[in-house]
Amino acid sequence: MVLSSLKGPGEIVTTQLSVLPRNTTLENYAQAATTVPFVRFFINSVVVTVIGSSIKCALAILTAYALVFVRFPFKRAIFLAILVALMVPPQVSVLPNYIFIAGLDGLNTYWGIILPGLGTAFGTFLLRQHFLSLPPSILEASEIDGAGHLRRLFQIVVPISGPSIATVALVTIVGEWNDYIWPLIVTDKPEMMTLPVGLTLLANSDSTAQAWGVLMAGAVIVIVPILLIFAALQRFIVDGLTQGSVTG
């Protein structure tokens, strides 16, 4: 994809294939940026990803803490419901969510894109399993000292759960950035489209063979930011997913 984005049209659609571009050019990137408003798409994706992933991670932390350290009725039933949510394909909720958001005049708005996906069963499940592995004596000592739930959460649980929280954050960020179906459904104005949807708009703007280089350039623009985030946080993945799996 990267190599094709640096080739001219005659080098992509040809029977004499070559891996490396003969005449490297950045014209595809310039054309992609001028054909559709990629800067606006990028801003929309950043806004949706930052706000959506931040709220998702906060809700996952609070919910997982409550399921482990707070006593309340039907706690096991609620956890089972979260497990069931992991098994339900997200496409099932598309129509009800669209009817709900459209009824609230949320089409072509940031909150209309963000709101339906705020619940994260995966993050809650992963953090709950990690919180169960924490030494109870630490929290018991803080409770004896008079620390409330919020203080125990933010001063004890969160600081020692960095890798697991980073894993949830990374998975959430990647999911928000790459989300395609829901933003495609609730946006029809270019100024509110995110990058994956904008890439479709770019593909539809020119269906000729010469558009392949421009399309590859657009795909690179979409993928590079999330690859950089993944490279920065990937070392937390193994630590976060394996915390609590080994007992002393």
Side-chain angles (χ1 to χ4, degrees):
M1 180 181 66
V2 174
L3 292 174
S4 296
S5 70
L6 300 174
K7 295 179 180 179
E11 295 183 63
I12 299 176
V13 184
T14 178
T15 56
Q16 299 177 351
L17 299 178
S18 61
V19 177
L20 299 178
R22 291 190 294 270
N23 298 307
T24 303
T25 176
L26 297 177
E27 179 61 28
N28 291 326
Y29 289 92
Q31 189 172 342
T34 55
T35 302
V36 294
F38 255 103
V39 174
R40 182 64 187 181
F41 297 160
F42 184 84
I43 294 174
N44 292 339
S45 286
V46 170
V47 170
V48 170
T49 300
V50 170
I51 296 177
S53 59
S54 298
I55 297 176
K56 275 187 175 183
C57 290
L59 291 176
I61 293 171
L62 293 172
T63 307
Y65 179 89
L67 290 173
V68 176
F69 301 113
V70 179
R71 299 182 183 91
F72 59 91
F74 308 111
K75 184 162 66 173
R76 183 176 295 274
I78 292 175
F79 179 64
L80 290 176
I82 293 174
L83 292 181
V84 171
L86 283 171
M87 307 173 193
V88 177
Q91 291 80 7
V92 172
S93 61
V94 167
L95 181 58
N97 283 337
Y98 180 83
I99 296 174
F100 175 70
I101 294 299
L104 295 177
D105 294 327
L107 302 181
N108 291 301
T109 62
Y110 285 134
W111 68 265
I113 300 174
I114 296 170
L115 182 61
L118 288 183
T120 167
F122 168 78
T124 301
F125 172 76
L126 180 64
L127 291 179
R128 175 189 180 272
Q129 298 307 109
H130 168 64
F131 290 168
L132 287 173
S133 68
L134 298 180
S137 57
I138 299 178
L139 294 175
E140 290 172 359
S142 63
E143 186 175 3
I144 293 174
D145 291 338
H149 284 299
L150 288 178
R151 185 178 176 185
R152 276 179 274 170
L153 173 62
F154 292 108
Q155 293 188 0
I156 299 176
V157 175
V158 170
I160 63 179
S161 304
S164 293
I165 294 175
T167 301
V168 173
L170 178 59
V171 173
T172 304
I173 290 171
V174 173
E176 288 285 333
W177 185 270
N178 292 332
D179 191 18
Y180 173 73
I181 296 297
W182 180 247
L184 176 66
I185 293 174
V186 297
T187 60
D188 55 15
K189 296 180 180 178
E191 59 268 22
M192 289 306 301
M193 291 179 177
T194 57
L195 278 173
V197 182
L199 192 61
T200 301
L201 188 65
L202 178 63
N204 294 336
S205 65
D206 188 356
S207 59
T208 63
Q210 295 184 352
W212 282 109
V214 179
L215 185 59
M216 294 299 101
V220 171
I221 296 173
V222 173
I223 292 174
V224 164
I226 207 65
L227 285 180
L228 295 176
I229 295 175
F230 183 85
L233 298 179
Q234 59 86 22
R235 65 188 182 91
F236 292 108
I237 293 180
V238 175
D239 292 338
L241 292 176
T242 58
Q243 274 193 351
S245 62
V246 179
T247 57

